[in-house]
Amino acid sequence: MNLKSIPLKKWLEFAFTFVIGLLTLLALCFPLQQVTIGGLLTFQENAFDMFDFNSIFMREDFEWGSTVLGVIGIVQLVVSIILIIVSILNFINKRDSLVSKVIIGICIFFCLVYLIEGPVFNALYNKYGTYIDGYGVISGEVVSVTTLSYIPFILVVIFLVAYLCIDKYVVSGGAVSENDSIKITKKQDLNADTISNQNNGKIDKNDEEGKEIIPNEDNDIISQLKTYKELLDSGILTQEEFDKLKKEILENNR
């Protein structure tokens, strides 16, 4: 694989597709829920923590909710890994850019799903939540329930906007697209063939004209010289007269 032959646009597609796929994977590390008690004690739980289909924040009668969140997290993990691998293969095999667009679309979808999971998880906690290890709310303490699930989605959108801007104003701004390049090349080849045919026509015509003129002149000279040679051989012309006539013919036809 010759990396130098790969156009800049293809490098750009691969870079952003790979990064966005990686962000989809890393999104699972961001806390779906973060509970702070009294401003001092903080507990966090992300998608990886729920792969066992259990939540430290939920009561036992809400196990089905933890199971749903765990399944979604596992699906996102598997899909994000597949998308990263596909982005690499797409780059190596120089596939169409449509594959990159599909990958980016799937990544945005899963990051959006993860964003939604955070507020939903918080809402469920407010209804079914409890405190781990017997921690409870003491009078006067403030309980803060937050989520950071929106950060991956924001990062993906930022990278997507950056990709579109770079592709439009830097890569494609002064460049000619592949289809346009093919059209221009074909047009240039057609023009070159036309000019070549015209030139060949002119050359052939000139050659024909030359063949009509030059051979006729040569034939006249040869015919005259043969005639004078026959007169010389028959004794009508002397050698001096023949040489003089021959010289005049050759000088007149230079």
Side-chain angles (χ1 to χ4, degrees):
M1 179 181 181
N2 188 6
L3 297 179
K4 294 182 179 179
S5 64
I6 300 176
L8 179 60
K9 184 178 179 65
K10 196 64 182 176
W11 278 104
L12 180 68
E13 286 180 0
F14 166 69
F16 279 90
T17 305
F18 181 82
V19 169
I20 290 179
L22 190 61
L23 282 175
T24 307
L25 176 62
L26 295 178
L28 301 173
C29 300
F30 287 83
L32 284 170
Q33 184 153 291
Q34 181 173 285
V35 177
T36 303
I37 303 174
L40 297 175
L41 193 61
T42 300
F43 302 97
Q44 294 181 344
E45 194 167 48
N46 57 34
F48 285 109
D49 297 325
M50 303 186 69
F51 280 2
D52 59 354
F53 310 118
N54 185 34
S55 172
I56 61 174
F57 294 124
M58 297 298 172
R59 296 197 306 263
E60 293 182 358
D61 57 350
F62 190 70
E63 291 182 356
W64 67 268
S66 302
T67 302
V68 171
L69 293 176
V71 170
I72 294 175
I74 293 174
V75 172
Q76 182 169 337
L77 173 66
V78 174
V79 171
S80 59
I81 293 175
I82 293 175
L83 293 179
I84 292 174
I85 295 174
V86 171
S87 68
I88 296 174
L89 296 177
N90 181 55
F91 174 72
I92 294 175
N93 297 326
K94 299 180 181 180
R95 299 280 181 172
D96 190 82
S97 59
L98 178 62
V99 178
S100 298
K101 294 178 181 179
V102 172
I103 294 174
I104 292 174
I106 296 174
C107 289
I108 292 175
F109 170 77
F110 274 99
C111 286
L112 180 60
V113 170
Y114 197 77
L115 178 152
I116 296 173
E117 285 181 33
V120 170
F121 197 14
N122 287 351
L124 293 175
Y125 171 77
N126 291 329
K127 185 175 182 180
Y128 300 101
T130 184
Y131 295 114
I132 63 173
D133 296 333
Y135 286 99
V137 179
I138 301 174
S139 178
E141 289 183 334
V142 178
V143 178
S144 174
V145 182
T146 58
T147 181
L148 298 178
S149 63
Y150 57 87
I151 294 180
F153 180 77
I154 293 176
L155 292 176
V156 167
V157 171
I158 290 175
F159 270 91
L160 178 61
V161 172
Y163 163 72
L164 295 175
C165 291
I166 294 175
D167 179 59
K168 181 177 181 180
Y169 296 106
V170 178
V171 177
S172 303
V176 180
S177 65
E178 185 177 354
N179 291 334
D180 292 339
S181 177
I182 294 174
K183 291 179 181 179
I184 292 174
T185 302
K186 289 183 178 180
K187 186 176 181 180
Q188 290 175 345
D189 292 341
L190 181 60
N191 291 337
D193 292 339
T194 302
I195 294 172
S196 177
N197 292 333
Q198 291 176 349
N199 290 336
N200 290 336
K202 291 180 180 179
I203 293 173
D204 293 342
K205 185 176 180 180
N206 291 335
D207 288 344
E208 291 177 358
E209 291 176 353
K211 289 179 182 178
E212 291 176 359
I213 296 173
I214 295 175
N216 287 340
E217 291 178 352
D218 291 340
N219 290 334
D220 291 338
I221 294 171
I222 294 172
S223 177
Q224 290 178 16
L225 291 175
K226 283 184 178 181
T227 301
Y228 291 142
K229 184 67 170 61
E230 290 175 357
L231 294 175
L232 174 64
D233 294 337
S234 62
I236 299 175
L237 293 177
T238 63
Q239 186 65 44
E240 293 179 358
E241 291 173 339
F242 174 80
D243 293 336
K244 184 178 179 180
L245 292 170
K246 178 180 177 182
K247 182 178 179 182
E248 289 177 357
I249 292 172
L250 295 175
E251 287 178 352
N252 292 332
N253 292 277
R254 285 179 180 176

